[in-house]
Amino acid sequence: MSDPILQTKGLNKSFGAVCATDDVSIDLRRGQIHALIGPNGAGKSTLIQQITGALKPDSGTVHFLAKDVTTASVSARARAGLGRTFQISALATEDTVLENVLLGAIGAAGGIWQFWKPAMNNKGLRARAEDALVRVGLADQAQTRCDSLSHGMRRQLEVAIALTLRPRAFLMDEPMAGLGSDGSKQLTEFLQGLRDDAPILLVEHDMDAVFALADRISVLVGGRVIATGTVADIRSNPDVQQAYLGDTA
Ligand code: ADP
Ligand code: MG
């Protein structure tokens, strides 16, 4: 079996007396969607932030593409291919879809804002941005202003921006949040295909989406992984039912 793309080993992170991440070891494998579920305050976002590099673990390691990145910066990890979807607020809402993706492509090429105008006419960057839009199915919206996109399309746009970095893995923290049921269904379908581009570590509360998408699921409760397995394993696990799933299983 191939090495995992992403792996945490024994990650610990406390905030004062709160142990937000308690000895967490998980791995993300090629071609898979690995869902991370658990109640509010379980430590899901804290774990994701230690993987992106936004938070420094107290102890433990993060390996990405077989390299130890535990002390690498957020931007170094991003350049190495660790993609994450951005918050909606990161979109320039008055600009067009294509302009937003181009901004991402400029960042991917190591550029900065002052090169914005020339970048608009840079064929290589434009091609990279247009390619990302094709891959998320937004090519025909290239000239649409972001503020007239549906919530679901905005999420697709965020993925397009992340794709300009040519990610080798994706981290997504509650991408379905704020979407209605149609939007969630649409995004679920879209994520189905995305795992072939790069595996996804997916934090999500929407259990319909999780059960439809996940190749494997890890359940976090009080900072600890209480179970990891397939959808069937997790749905039938009595500890998980008691701690989190209740009736939804
Ligand atoms: P989840 O994403 O699963 O809802 P979080 O990772 O956001 O959980 O939070 C885990 C625990 O850590 C919670 O008890 C939360 O209050 C605490 N926590 C998270 N971030 C901080 C912080 N920056 N400072 C203090 N406590 C925090
Ligand atoms: Mg969270």
Side-chain angles (χ1 to χ4, degrees):
M1 177 155 179
S2 59
D3 285 340
I5 301 269
L6 178 71
Q7 187 167 35
T8 72
K9 285 186 202 154
L11 278 186
N12 289 293
K13 178 77 189 173
S14 292
F15 298 107
V18 176
C19 187
T21 307
D22 188 355
D23 195 26
V24 171
S25 300
I26 56 164
D27 60 67
L28 179 63
R29 298 175 192 162
R30 207 171 295 277
Q32 292 204 342
I33 294 179
H34 190 142
L36 201 56
I37 64 173
N40 282 326
K44 305 178 296 294
S45 295
T46 304
L47 176 61
I48 294 286
Q49 285 179 290
Q50 290 169 89
I51 297 173
T52 65
L55 272 177
K56 189 180 169 302
D58 298 334
S59 61
T61 58
V62 180
H63 283 77
F64 179 49
L65 301 172
K67 285 207 186 84
D68 187 337
V69 297
T70 313
T71 59
S73 67
V74 173
S75 57
R77 291 180 212 207
R79 281 196 303 275
L82 194 54
R84 48 182 279 269
T85 51
F86 300 99
Q87 299 294 318
I88 277 199
S89 56
L91 295 176
T93 51
E94 289 178 10
D95 290 337
T96 66
V97 164
L98 179 61
E99 284 165 345
N100 269 274
V101 183
L102 261 170
L103 261 184
I106 296 168
I112 49 171
W113 263 102
Q114 92 188 82
F115 300 121
W116 169 233
K117 286 284 180 218
M120 287 298 288
N121 300 315
N122 178 313
K123 286 209 177 83
L125 288 179
R126 232 187 132 97
R128 195 189 268 221
E130 282 167 350
D131 176 55
L133 284 179
V134 169
R135 282 162 73 193
V136 303
L138 284 182
D140 55 352
Q141 304 290 334
Q143 301 305 331
T144 305
R145 270 173 54 138
C146 284
D147 49 12
S148 43
L149 293 178
S150 68
H151 278 307
M153 282 176 160
R154 286 186 189 206
R155 296 291 150 83
Q156 283 169 243
L157 174 56
E158 288 157 21
V159 172
I161 293 170
L163 278 173
T164 62
L165 277 164
R166 310 220 161 108
R168 301 288 305 279
F170 271 115
L171 306 172
M172 297 186 185
D173 196 349
E174 299 193 30
M176 310 284 171
L179 299 184
S181 71
D182 284 354
S184 297
K185 274 193 202 124
Q186 193 190 340
L187 187 62
T188 300
E189 239 168 71
F190 170 65
L191 295 183
Q192 284 286 10
L194 193 65
R195 90 184 86 198
D196 298 328
D197 286 284
I200 305 169
L201 185 60
L202 175 71
V203 174
E204 189 48 61
H205 277 296
D206 180 335
M207 284 303 127
D208 290 337
V210 167
F211 291 149
L213 287 169
D215 298 290
R216 287 191 304 151
I217 301 176
S218 291
V219 185
L220 268 184
V221 177
R224 291 190 75 89
V225 177
I226 64 161
T228 292
T230 63
V231 170
D233 295 338
I234 295 302
R235 289 180 86 145
S236 61
N237 182 313
D239 294 339
V240 175
Q241 286 187 17
Q242 195 192 352
Y244 183 56
L245 288 178
D247 301 335
T248 50

